[in-house]
Amino acid sequence: MRRKPNVLVYVLLVLGAIMIIFPMYLTIISAFKPMDELFAYPPRFYVKNPTFDNFRRLFEVSSDTAISAGRYLFNTFVNTVVIMFLNVWISVCVGFVLSKKTFRGKDALLQVNNMALMFVQTAVAIPTYFVIVYTGLRNNFLVGIIPALVVPTGVFLVKQFIDQLPDALIEAARIDGATDYQIIRKVVFPLVKPALATVMLLAFQGAWLDANASTMYLDSETLKTFAYYIGTLTAGGSVITQGIAAAGALIMLVPNIVLFIILQSRVMNTMANSGIK
């Protein structure tokens, strides 16, 4: 006997999907609205006369200042690429050591990493500021990169996957003469791709959307990120900059959506298997 579908579950799922998709839809259409439609009352949930004028003005406005929007985008791109690949590499190396190596203090290091998962960035903002000042990273381009390389979530996820790899597989590679570096690159990397895809996605989102380092630690405009620049457009509440800010928000949104669509199957696999031993 076939079970009847639970209508309430489907209704709740549809409502949840609408709540997630609708803000993204508003961001997209706002970026292409001319000024008169952007502030029309009552508001329209469609674009009558789509235009790229907001994107053009985004770069025109910034070109009138000392720093162009392209410079902010370049800084964000460099930060994001470096952070993504270093996060993946650090996570897999540390995860491999904590999973397959035996040494004194291993359990303590693992507990410290797990405890770090409980602290949000705001809770450690003051200690982080003092560390950055005392190490000379303030007003340095690396201030947006080095603190982002502390990846307890990535280490935890990758270690959970490496725990599932048979020790015999690692030992066989070692008997064949492989070094730890070769084992990580040729054995571990291919087998933990779902976890690495998740780490890459989380690192991308954190770096691409980060304006904290630019706001707190950088004085030079040439070192700041695009997320910070978009924040300055909306901070004053100016009517003129709302369309420009919408165009900038769309530029920030699209790469996140594209990367998630590309990696979603691996990310879902990570969530399903991260707790399996």
Side-chain angles (χ1 to χ4, degrees):
M1 182 178 178
R2 296 180 59 184
R3 296 180 59 184
K4 294 182 179 180
N6 191 330
V7 177
L8 179 60
V9 171
Y10 285 108
V11 170
L12 292 176
L13 289 174
V14 170
L15 291 176
I18 292 173
M19 292 176 65
I20 294 172
I21 295 173
F22 191 65
M24 292 190 291
Y25 171 74
L26 289 180
T27 301
I28 294 171
I29 64 172
S30 296
F32 295 99
K33 280 185 175 182
M35 190 65 67
D36 58 335
E37 290 189 43
L38 196 60
F39 294 97
Y41 185 84
R44 300 192 188 106
F45 298 112
Y46 62 91
V47 186
K48 188 175 182 180
N49 299 301
T51 178
F52 286 95
D53 188 57
N54 290 328
F55 295 92
R56 178 181 57 79
R57 290 192 297 125
L58 170 65
F59 289 90
E60 281 186 355
V61 168
S62 63
S63 65
D64 293 337
T65 63
I67 309 301
S68 68
R71 176 67 186 190
Y72 292 111
L73 272 174
F74 175 78
N75 292 342
T76 298
F77 177 78
V78 172
N79 277 0
T80 302
V81 171
V82 173
I83 290 171
M84 280 174 58
F85 286 100
L86 287 182
N87 270 358
V88 168
W89 180 248
I90 291 172
S91 296
V92 74
C93 289
V94 176
F96 175 77
V97 170
L98 293 178
S99 177
K100 299 302 181 183
K101 293 288 186 178
T102 302
F103 56 92
R104 183 176 298 178
K106 171 182 172 179
D107 291 338
L109 289 175
L110 183 58
Q111 291 304 319
V112 168
N113 182 81
N114 292 342
M115 288 176 60
L117 296 172
M118 298 186 297
F119 295 95
V120 296
Q121 188 177 26
T122 306
V124 295
I126 295 176
T128 301
Y129 180 84
F130 283 119
V131 170
I132 287 172
V133 171
Y134 291 149
T135 54
L137 285 175
R138 194 175 187 280
N139 208 34
N140 188 310
F141 186 75
L142 294 177
V143 76
I145 297 176
I146 293 179
L149 301 183
V150 181
V151 283
T153 303
V155 171
F156 175 79
L157 287 175
V158 174
K159 179 188 175 297
Q160 292 294 95
F161 265 70
I162 296 178
D163 283 344
Q164 301 174 49
L165 302 183
D167 293 337
L169 184 64
I170 307 298
E171 290 302 320
R174 203 179 303 280
I175 291 172
D176 288 338
T179 62
D180 286 340
Y181 170 76
Q182 291 172 325
I183 292 173
I184 291 173
R185 185 167 60 89
K186 296 183 178 181
V187 178
V188 176
F189 254 96
L191 296 177
V192 297
K193 284 183 178 179
L196 298 183
T198 303
V199 172
M200 183 178 294
L201 181 61
L202 293 176
F204 175 86
Q205 291 178 336
W208 185 256
L209 301 175
D210 178 54
N212 183 64
S214 298
T215 303
M216 296 185 63
Y217 310 124
L218 294 175
D219 297 325
S220 175
E221 289 291 324
T222 59
L223 303 177
K224 296 184 178 182
T225 61
F226 193 71
Y228 167 82
Y229 174 62
I230 297 304
T232 62
L233 294 177
T234 58
S238 173
V239 173
I240 299 175
T241 60
Q242 295 307 302
I244 303 174
L250 182 58
I251 293 175
M252 300 297 294
L253 175 66
V254 169
N256 278 282
I257 296 176
V258 172
L259 188 62
F260 180 77
I261 291 173
I262 294 173
L263 300 178
Q264 64 172 332
S265 61
R266 295 187 184 277
V267 172
M268 294 301 104
N269 192 15
T270 303
M271 298 300 107
N273 293 283
S274 60
I276 298 176
K277 296 290 185 179

